[in-house]
Amino acid sequence: MESWVQRVGAVTLFVEDLAEARRFYQEVFELPVMFEDPNSTVFDFGGLLINLLTTAAVPELIEPAGLADPAAGARFQLTLNVPDVDAVCERLAAHGVKLLNGPVDRPWGIRTAAFRDPAGHIWEVAG
């Protein structure tokens, strides 16, 4: 039986401050806005759309599930493959991004570093 799943097309991240998140993604990831409206801003990460959605618009999408408080802790990490982790970390630092960890060589053979976006979502660069 063939799966009905083709690929993950978009990830929606819930943000309290859409303007701050938009600025961060434009400046730090150096990406243009692909789409925006009063409740969301979308960026294209090489075929995977990252949709930043204001928390005020979340209930209609996920009810009856509830929206978790960002202080509850991380539940996932998004990873970007890069050719040079150290060079990307220098670029992140130039944008004022503070690393959570790294760059560090992992036992499974890759070099990584992690950081948070303004809404608390954790991103990792790996190479």
Side-chain angles (χ1 to χ4, degrees):
M1 180 177 192
E2 189 173 319
S3 175
W4 55 269
V5 176
Q6 298 297 308
R7 67 179 181 86
V8 174
V11 173
T12 298
L13 303 177
F14 307 148
V15 301
E16 283 68 32
D17 186 334
L18 183 58
E20 179 185 30
R22 179 189 192 279
R23 180 204 54 77
F24 181 91
Y25 278 67
Q26 266 191 303
E27 291 179 11
V28 171
F29 294 117
E30 301 171 0
L31 293 170
V33 171
M34 182 181 164
F35 168 84
E36 68 183 321
D37 66 23
N39 292 316
S40 67
T41 302
V42 179
F43 294 91
D44 185 349
F45 280 74
L48 174 65
L49 302 180
I50 299 294
N51 177 32
L52 306 174
L53 183 68
T54 183
T55 54
V58 169
E60 83 173 273
L61 291 180
I62 67 168
E63 285 179 340
L67 177 64
D69 186 293
R75 300 286 305 208
F76 68 91
Q77 172 178 278
L78 299 161
T79 300
L80 294 170
N81 295 323
V82 299
D84 185 337
V85 170
D86 293 86
V88 170
C89 288
E90 288 177 19
R91 289 177 84 156
L92 292 171
H95 287 289
V97 175
K98 293 184 180 23
L99 297 178
L100 295 171
N101 60 59
V104 62
D105 293 318
R106 300 294 183 180
W108 50 91
I110 61 172
R111 189 161 177 79
T112 71
F115 61 96
R116 289 183 219 258
D117 73 8
H121 304 108
I122 297 178
W123 284 84
E124 175 187 63
V125 290

